[in-house]
Amino acid sequence: STKQENNMCQGEKPTEKMEQMPFILRPWVSAYRATPKIHIPGTDVDINFSLRFALFFSILRLTFRYALYSLGWPRGDLNTYFASACLASFCHSSMIVPGLAGVLFSQKYVPSGKLETSPLWYQDATHALMGFCTGYMIYDSIMGYVVETWQPGVGPVLSTDDWSYLAHHILTSLYMISARWNKAGHMSA
């Protein structure tokens, strides 16, 4: 293999120069390109990447919960649930912020700009980061506002604040999906 091929992400075309892509974005682009695509019906927006990260964060949250149990935190207590959610949220933020910086600092900031005019690696990095964030929103909506609020025979019991947070998750996901579908507005998402 040539030196140029060794410097490329999986799925990258030989004419696309890797040197232009910030190093911090390479894992995002590689992961996105390696994930089989499942499109939302009627669109070209991949949802598989998001669903995989929704599962990842669900497992992570449960892992943190059981780690807290092993440290003496009470089982079934709302504070234990909240702490495990915060730890998963910290992981989400720690993972996404460097990627967002790589995307935002690598191109001119045009909030309403078209994604299609950007290099392919930039488009894939943007789809990966927005898909990752959408996955987090899906996970947090299900775990935080269905699973952990479930009352047998009643269903999820939500406070007024819970409804606000759930609406935030739904609207944020819809905005990110629509930016990906319209291939514009990605910088403001």
Side-chain angles (χ1 to χ4, degrees), residues 44-101:
D44 63 348
V45 177
D46 171 52
I47 194 67
N48 192 24
F49 197 75
S50 297
L51 294 176
R52 286 173 182 239
F53 276 105
L55 178 63
F56 167 78
F57 281 113
S58 298
I59 293 168
L60 188 63
R61 185 170 180 157
L62 292 172
T63 301
F64 283 135
R65 184 184 307 165
Y66 282 93
L68 292 172
Y69 291 159
S70 72
L71 294 172
W73 287 61
R75 289 181 179 269
D77 187 77
L78 292 179
N79 289 325
T80 306
Y81 289 171
F82 183 69
S84 63
C86 288
L87 290 167
S89 177
F90 176 76
C91 289
H92 168 259
S93 299
S94 298
M95 293 170 71
I96 200 167
V97 166
L100 291 176

Side-chain angles (χ1 to χ4, degrees), residues 5-6 17 26 28 32 35 48 53 55 64 95 108 114-115 129 137 146 156 159 170 175 188:
E5 288 171 346
N6 290 334
K17 294 189 178 175
R26 290 180 186 182
W28 289 104
Y32 181 74
T35 303
N48 192 24
F53 276 105
L55 178 63
F64 283 135
M95 293 170 71
K108 182 180 175 187
K114 289 283 191 185
L115 185 58
L129 291 163
M137 293 292 176
V146 177
S159 70
I170 292 168
Y175 181 72
S188 61

